[in-house]
Amino acid sequence: MSKWIRFITAFAVGASIALISQTYHISGGGDSFLLTWMLLSVPLVYLMRANVPALLYIAGITAWSVGCGSGHAFYYWPLAALIVPHFVILGRENLFSNRLIVLSWVFTLSFCVTVGATVRESLPFSWSLVYLIYSGVFAVLYLGGSLLYTKGQGWWRQPFVSVGTAGITMITFLLTNQRIWESIGWFGYRINEPGAGNLLLALGLPLVMVTFCLLAACVRRNQAGRVLLGVAPLVVFGGYMLFTYLVSGAKETDIPGNTIIPTVLFNLYFFTLGVNTTVSGIRSGRLGTVNAGMFLLAALILARFFDSGIGFVIRGVIFIIVGIGFLTTNLVLLRRGRERAV
């Protein structure tokens, strides 16, 4: 059966539901229509062994849980579990098939979006905890994907690793900004509210434990190079606990002064990530990895210059120096590549 027939069949289900509802004047809003359509699409996934209905289903339950009113995000998880057997079937057939790769990309992005929606609806102080939760989620994706895809595939064929890497990088870069810690400080200032500290531990500890297990598995499989990026949730959790301790007994006006230590900690961690990525790329001769590492360093340097009161002339000089560094490194690696080819 062609892909077009599967595609048309999936949308025909929704058209049939709409037609029946209009004919018999069945009451219900757009959210109930979308949920009914998605549930009726699940049998198509398994009866037709089709990927298009699976993609449509994931997109549909994401839109329903996030965009169709509050209180739906929690139900995303049992709905998403209905499609897991399809993942297992595709993985057993071919772990590196295009069908599974595309489905993994869609599901991973859907998963990351719905995590935030679930936290926002279910937990208090969600804004202050979102960095901790997402750092753990991205680390699990990164380390789990590293254990799953061990053949050195490209970034497109490793959706878990790619999304995890991008997510960890973004979270840690945000936490290098002192203003972010000032906003988090409001949570530390209200830490005496009932259950707030227990909530932090209940969310942070499971993510830390899972990260430890995955890190140990990576080390056993000779993937120690993954450790530096994989320890991000441990660094975030440690920064949270340290900052919470600093502001727990302080006044509201003292919060900005207590943000210096965690800010410096994450600037050092992000700088280490950039240096390690650059050195790893130079050793392996991978130009893309070198550029990625230098991009991290450049982003950190430029961000700190915009935060401070440095004049425009000095900023311009730094821009030029960073650009020269990019060009010089690329030229050196290109010459090495030509010499090896000869």
Side-chain angles (χ1 to χ4, degrees):
M1 187 176 295
S2 66
K3 295 181 180 179
W4 284 108
I5 295 177
R6 297 169 181 172
F7 181 80
I8 294 173
T9 303
F11 278 92
V13 173
S16 300
I17 297 173
L19 180 61
I20 293 173
S21 299
Q22 292 295 324
T23 302
Y24 295 98
H25 304 286
I26 300 175
S27 61
D31 56 341
S32 60
F33 164 74
L34 182 59
L35 179 60
T36 303
W37 181 13
M38 293 302 101
L39 290 175
L40 291 178
S41 299
V42 175
L44 297 177
V45 177
Y46 297 100
L47 293 176
M48 303 171 63
R49 298 178 62 85
N51 217 37
V52 172
L55 296 173
L56 176 65
Y57 176 76
I58 294 173
I61 62 174
T62 304
W64 177 81
S65 60
V66 175
C68 292
S70 61
H72 291 170
F74 177 79
Y75 298 103
Y76 169 87
W77 307 106
L79 290 173
L82 297 177
I83 209 68
V84 171
H86 183 61
F87 273 94
V88 176
I89 294 172
L90 293 180
R92 288 180 177 178
E93 291 177 355
N94 184 2
L95 187 61
F96 301 98
S97 65
N98 291 329
R99 297 175 64 194
L100 182 59
I101 295 300
V102 172
L103 189 63
S104 298
W105 271 105
V106 174
F107 184 77
T108 302
L109 296 176
S110 168
F111 173 81
C112 292
V113 170
T114 316
V115 165
T118 305
V119 172
R120 185 188 65 227
E121 291 185 1
S122 305
L123 301 172
F125 316 112
S126 59
W127 179 248
S128 59
L129 292 173
V130 69
Y131 300 101
L132 173 61
I133 295 171
Y134 267 114
S135 66
V137 169
F138 288 134
V140 170
L141 288 173
Y142 171 73
L143 295 173
S146 301
L147 296 173
L148 185 62
Y149 302 102
T150 57
K151 295 184 178 181
Q153 302 290 323
W155 68 270
W156 168 253
R157 307 193 69 82
Q158 300 184 77
F160 303 134
V161 175
S162 300
V163 173
T165 301
I168 292 173
T169 303
M170 180 180 64
I171 291 294
T172 53
F173 180 73
L174 289 174
L175 291 176
T176 62
N177 192 328
Q178 190 173 1
R179 294 180 181 178
I180 297 296
W181 286 101
E182 290 179 6
S183 65
I184 295 174
W186 286 101
F187 171 69
Y189 184 64
R190 296 193 298 264
I191 196 66
N192 292 326
E193 294 192 12
N198 294 332
L199 178 61
L200 176 62
L201 294 176
L203 290 172
L205 286 180
L207 292 172
V208 170
M209 292 174 63
V210 174
T211 302
F212 264 123
C213 294
L214 292 174
L215 286 171
C218 286
V219 173
R220 287 197 300 268
R221 295 192 180 185
N222 297 323
Q223 296 186 20
R226 309 279 188 177
V227 171
L228 184 60
L229 197 62
V231 298
L234 308 183
V235 179
V236 175
F237 184 75
Y240 261 82
M241 298 303 295
L242 175 62
F243 186 54
T244 299
Y245 172 76
L246 291 175
V247 301
S248 59
K251 298 180 180 180
E252 180 182 354
T253 55
D254 296 333
I255 289 178
N258 290 319
T259 60
I260 297 176
I261 295 178
T263 302
V264 171
L265 171 66
F266 275 90
N267 274 273
L268 292 174
Y269 177 67
F270 194 84
F271 179 78
T272 305
L273 286 178
V275 172
N276 181 73
T277 304
T278 304
V279 172
S280 176
I282 293 175
R283 289 178 177 176
S284 60
R286 296 180 179 178
L287 191 59
T289 304
V290 173
N291 286 331
M294 295 192 66
F295 176 79
L296 296 181
L297 294 173
L300 179 64
I301 293 172
L302 296 178
R304 297 292 74 80
F305 283 146
F306 283 115
D307 289 344
S308 60
I310 299 176
F312 286 102
V313 176
I314 299 179
R315 291 178 182 178
V317 172
I318 296 300
F319 272 112
I320 295 174
I321 294 175
V322 171
I324 292 175
F326 268 102
L327 292 175
T328 303
T329 305
N330 280 269
L331 288 174
V332 171
L333 289 178
L334 286 174
R335 287 182 179 179
R336 288 183 180 180
R338 290 175 182 175
E339 291 176 356
R340 292 176 181 176
V342 175

